[in-house]
Amino acid sequence: QVQLVQSGAEVKKPGASVKISCKASGYTFTRYTMHWVRQAPGQGLEYMGWINAGSGDTKYSQRFQGRVTITRDTSANTAYMELSSLRSEDTAVYYCADLGGTRDWGQGTLVTVSS
Amino acid sequence: QAVVTQEPSLTVSPGGTVTLTCGSSTGAVTSGHYPYWFQQKPGQAPMTLIYDTSNKHSWTPARFSGSLLGGKAALTLSGAQTDDEADYYCLLSYSGTWEFGGGTKLTV
């Protein structure tokens, strides 16, 4: 069955970067677009950007432009989201989601930014 | 950057019907915004209920339906069950990127 499995929780210091992975199985990874979304504690969902897993084309939300990089490794059926210059407000659960194909979501990855 | 608006909270009685709406600061929501609806329960990842305005996922209960109503995207729940108590988020497309609404906390 379709699964999106994300990497484990991370603790980072302010100013550092974090890179989260999202491994897809159960469907043809390169057919669809992978989206990244985050949710700060007690807050709503916030859209970050997407990558076309086939072409590698990306588009990022303006609020993250310059700080976020989404990539993929087609040989590993895996998408990655890297967020740089972390600050405490980036503490959140980060999700990958295949919204246009399987409509499935990863389980989420908690990133804690603390000195 | 567009702002997507949802009712912060709604209450429905068991067995009742409720409509959640999703508006856009740029004007009327159309099928070209490809509206999505997601359900999220505490401590869980969101689940896709509706995509492209009115299409249901295989796991979407029949009591949920999506539409365009009065210039907004709408999610209607008919025959609410206590299990439907959750947060609901809409997502709209804007020229290749996307924006979430602030979410509606639905109490049954």
Side-chain angles (χ1 to χ4, degrees):
Chain A
Q1 82 276 18
V2 172
Q3 271 196 306
L4 298 177
V5 179
Q6 298 182 223
S7 48
E10 303 261 12
V11 179
K12 295 291 183 181
K13 293 199 183 302
S17 296
V18 68
K19 189 172 185 177
I20 301 167
S21 66
C22 171
K23 183 171 177 60
S25 61
Y27 73 100
T28 304
F29 176 69
T30 52
R31 282 189 67 181
Y32 301 123
T33 295
M34 194 69 75
H35 301 256
W36 288 87
V37 174
R38 77 176 186 182
Q39 186 171 38
Q43 302 301 309
L45 300 176
E46 188 172 28
Y47 189 83
M48 300 183 72
W50 56 260
I51 184 166
N52 181 312
S55 67
D57 290 342
T58 56
K59 188 148 188 175
Y60 305 125
S61 171
Q62 268 189 316
R63 64 174 68 90
F64 296 102
Q65 200 81 32
R67 282 212 302 146
V68 67
T69 304
I70 300 173
T71 57
R72 95 288 192 223
D73 179 347
T74 57
S75 66
N77 287 349
T78 301
Y80 302 90
M81 189 285 299
E82 184 170 20
L83 188 62
S84 62
S85 303
L86 290 170
R87 34 204 188 234
S88 59
E89 310 89 88
D90 294 318
T91 293
V93 176
Y94 290 77
Y95 295 101
C96 61
D98 170 24
L99 299 179
T102 66
R103 330 288 177 186
D104 209 356
W105 290 65
Q107 83 277 18
T109 297
L110 175 63
V111 175
T112 302
V113 182
S114 174
S115 54
Chain B
Q1 202 157 315
V3 176
V4 179
T5 55
Q6 297 183 245
E7 299 85 0
S9 64
L10 290 170
T11 299
V12 61
S13 300
T17 296
V18 64
T19 296
L20 290 65
T21 68
C22 176
S24 172
S25 63
T26 62
V29 175
T30 70
S31 58
H33 289 95
Y34 305 99
Y36 277 72
W37 290 94
F38 306 96
Q39 179 191 70
Q40 187 180 35
K41 296 182 178 179
Q44 296 183 18
M47 289 182 62
T48 304
L49 284 177
I50 300 287
Y51 62 95
D52 293 350
T53 305
S54 58
N55 293 293
K56 299 182 185 183
H57 201 290
S58 57
W59 59 57
T60 303
R63 59 186 179 273
F64 288 96
S65 63
S67 64
L68 296 176
L69 201 62
K72 296 182 178 183
L75 176 70
T76 299
L77 171 57
S78 303
Q81 299 182 4
T82 54
D83 186 55
D84 299 326
E85 187 159 295
D87 293 327
Y88 292 84
Y89 295 92
C90 69
L91 178 68
L92 300 179
S93 172
Y94 294 92
S95 301
T97 190
W98 299 78
E99 288 291 335
F100 279 102
T104 296
K105 184 174 184 63
L106 182 66
T107 301
V108 181

